Amino acid sequence: MIEARRLHILRAVADHRTVTAAAAALYLTPSAVSQQLAALEQETGHRLVERSARGARLTAAGEILLLHANAVLAQLERAESELAAYGSGEAGTVTVAAFATGIGLVVAPAIIELAASSPGIRVRVQDAEGDASLLMVLDRQVDVAVAVEYRGAPREDDPRLTRVPLYAEPFDAVVPVGHRLADAERVAVADLAKDPWIGPYPGNPCHDVVVLACEYAGFQPRLEHSSDDFRAVVHLASAAAGVALVPRSALRGMDLTGVVVRPVDGVAPTRRVFAAVRRGAEEHPLLRPVLAALKEAAASQGE
């Protein structure tokens, strides 16, 4: 008999690609993870994980088992959801991981809505970048992720997750007030090819958006300054350290002294934001109102 707990460990190793990282995410020791994997291999009669100096990867047998693991774990989430619904599930705590702008734009308004519509639900919020929050959901560290589409993000049909689209927003060009394009009504990304750039670190989903926008415009950006804090990005631009593309909502309420913000000419790069839960958990009586409140908060931004 295969234990579901060991299937969860196998999936964590596949997601994190090292036993050490999977153990940290699951709050286990590496030796405990190794022991559980060994037991799983004994239960199945197959070698499931190959280790090397570069990390750990699943064997062909491991990949086959992972497909079934995703289905089994999703079904267990559904079972928990139905049992919670049977027991009313009207009160409890939901943990949400979201990036800073998403917290201000949709999570905080959703908390206000839930206080009125579902007072028994308590929301705990953790600040996490859009890519990190998805692994936090899969590792059961949080219940809901508010995440950003990025290269390598789980697809909409990923068997591990259920995604709920929230909103999409354009990036605007931010240039110093003395920049040659400061007086333009719109700024083409291609016209910034020779400028130094300021942007998020690699791994941040917004970094991917900026780099892809520049690639589509025919060049690789010369990123001279890096920060995941858009306030720092704008401050550097105001010091004439470079140019940047910044999500429009991140600029709200920010001190823009020393910079000029212009819409991008042509097809603007876009940040697409969605909520995600473990597949099968979307009908949980605690999570369903939270997802609905997040969607309502996102919809109200366009009004």
Side-chain angles (χ1 to χ4, degrees), residues 24-113:
L26 298 174
Y27 299 102
L28 298 172
T29 64
S31 61
V33 169
S34 296
Q35 289 170 10
Q36 293 298 318
L37 289 174
L40 185 59
E41 289 179 331
Q42 187 173 8
E43 288 171 346
T44 61
H46 293 279
R47 187 176 182 183
L48 303 173
V49 178
E50 291 182 346
R51 305 188 198 187
S52 68
R54 292 180 294 179
R57 68 179 186 86
L58 300 192
T59 64
E63 293 288 354
I64 291 172
L65 183 58
L66 180 63
L67 290 175
H68 292 282
N70 289 330
V72 168
L73 294 173
Q75 191 60 41
L76 287 174
E77 292 285 353
R78 294 186 187 97
E80 290 182 7
S81 298
E82 290 186 17
L83 287 170
Y86 178 77
S88 80
E90 295 178 354
T93 300
V94 175
T95 306
V96 179
F99 56 99
T101 310
I103 291 173
L105 205 61
V106 294
V107 178
I111 291 174
I112 295 172
E113 165 61 25

